[in-house]
Structures are given as structure tokens and as C-alpha cells.
Amino acid sequence: MAESLNKWAKDDKNKKYVIVIGLILVLIILLTFLPLNNGHQQPVATVVKQAATKDNDDYETTLEKKLANMLVKMEGVGSVNVMVTTVSNEEKVLAEDTTSHTQRTEEKDQSGGTRVTENIQLANDVVLQNGNTPYVIKEYAPEIKGVFILAEGANDSVVKNQIIDAVSKLLDVPVHKISVEKKKN
């Protein structure tokens, strides 16, 4: 068998086939084991929503106290009670490192057809600071759903409009989401 193989390989035409097949095999092996992008890392951001309602309650309470303190100082308002409701949770955007690895294989069959296979692997890792605390890029406050205010001076339409205007501008809330009513004595 080895003798017939040597005879076949000595033929010039067959030598060309052996060389071409050998080069194709080497190319396939190189493409299989070498990544095309050398594991290039790209920074990416991930949005994480805080699921804790306690944080929202704290946010609402703090906002209510600040707003009440400001409104009490307005002329004609008198004492006030403020209620703020939110519709969404706080969102934090965390820094992430993304590593991608691409493997490409190209195969040719005897009839001249070509088949290309690509395998892409992505790995995302959250960037940590000071040990195991995630690095936060941005924080978004909860979206305000509505504001309800009870004020002693709300029976005066001028004062009521001033309260609505002030709350709308301070919290960037549309006027139709703000309700101001007269507080009982």
C-alpha cells in the first residue's frame, strides 16, 4: 500500500493536489484555534432596576418633606401636607466589561462548494470597585406618578395656582398630575 501511495505522490499532477489539500488543512486548523479579534474588550453598560420598595418609600418621603418645607414658606399657603407617588423604581447603570471571541471556519468540498461557520462567544463582567461594590455610571430617580397637596390657603385661587406652578417646575411634573386641595382647620 505504501508503495502505491509513493507512486501516486511522485506524479507531478498529484503533488499539486497534495500541496493544495495540505494548505487547506493548515488554514482550517489556524482558523479554528486563532481568535479573529484577540479577545478585544469593550466597555458596556447594564441597567439594573432596584426592586426594593423601601428605597422608593424613602425617596418619596424625602421629596415630600422637602416640598412641604418649601411650600410652607410661600406667602398665603399656611400649613401643608404633601403626598408624592412614584410609578417606577430607581435605576442604576452599571459599568461592564464585555469580552468577545470569534471563531471562523471555512470548509470547501470536492464539488467546489464552500461552507463558513462562525462561533461567537460573549462574556459580560460587571466592573467592581473597592472589593465587590459594582461601579455605577448613572442613577435615575423613580418617575413621579402624581402629587397631592393639602394646604390651608388652597381656597384662594391665586395661591392654589402658585402651588401648582411651583410643584410642576420643581419636580418636572405635568400640571394635570398635581392636585391641590384646601386643608381642614
Side-chain angles (χ1 to χ4, degrees), residues 1-21:
M1 169 109 175
E3 196 174 301
S4 63
L5 186 60
N6 283 339
K7 257 187 189 180
W8 182 80
K10 286 183 183 178
D11 187 18
D12 285 336
K13 187 177 181 182
N14 291 338
K15 282 183 185 178
K16 291 178 186 175
Y17 285 124
V18 170
I19 292 172
V20 169
I21 291 172

Side-chain angles (χ1 to χ4, degrees), residues 14-32 106-108:
N14 291 338
K15 282 183 185 178
K16 291 178 186 175
Y17 285 124
V18 170
I19 292 172
V20 169
I21 291 172
L23 288 175
I24 290 173
L25 287 174
V26 169
L27 182 64
I28 289 173
I29 291 171
L30 286 176
L31 288 175
T32 302
E106 187 173 325
E107 298 173 355
K108 293 184 180 182

Side-chain angles (χ1 to χ4, degrees), residues 112-130:
T114 303
R115 182 175 77 177
V116 178
T117 306
E118 267 192 20
N119 183 12
I120 301 172
Q121 296 175 342
L122 296 173
N124 295 333
D125 295 318
V126 174
V127 176
L128 300 176
Q129 64 181 0
N130 299 333

Side-chain angles (χ1 to χ4, degrees), residues 93-149:
V93 179
L94 305 179
E96 247 189 17
D97 278 338
T98 299
T99 305
S100 63
H101 175 75
T102 304
Q103 179 179 343
R104 180 184 171 122
T105 306
E106 187 173 325
E107 298 173 355
K108 293 184 180 182
D109 60 17
Q110 293 175 350
S111 62
T114 303
R115 182 175 77 177
V116 178
T117 306
E118 267 192 20
N119 183 12
I120 301 172
Q121 296 175 342
L122 296 173
N124 295 333
D125 295 318
V126 174
V127 176
L128 300 176
Q129 64 181 0
N130 299 333
N132 57 359
T133 306
Y135 183 74
V136 178
I137 297 172
K138 289 182 183 179
E139 289 186 45
Y140 295 103
E143 181 185 341
I144 297 173
K145 183 177 181 180
V147 181
F148 181 68
I149 299 168

Side-chain angles (χ1 to χ4, degrees), residues 31-79:
L31 288 175
T32 302
F33 293 108
L34 294 176
L36 294 178
N37 62 354
N38 295 330
H40 180 66
Q41 292 187 353
Q42 300 170 336
V44 176
T46 298
V47 177
V48 177
K49 293 186 179 184
Q50 298 293 332
T53 2
K54 182 180 180 263
D55 291 341
N56 277 0
D57 291 343
D58 291 345
Y59 176 76
E60 290 171 0
T61 304
T62 302
L63 206 52
E64 291 167 354
K65 287 178 184 176
K66 285 181 176 181
L67 192 55
N69 284 336
M70 292 307 296
L71 292 175
V72 166
K73 295 175 184 175
M74 289 175 61
E75 189 175 331
V77 173
S79 69

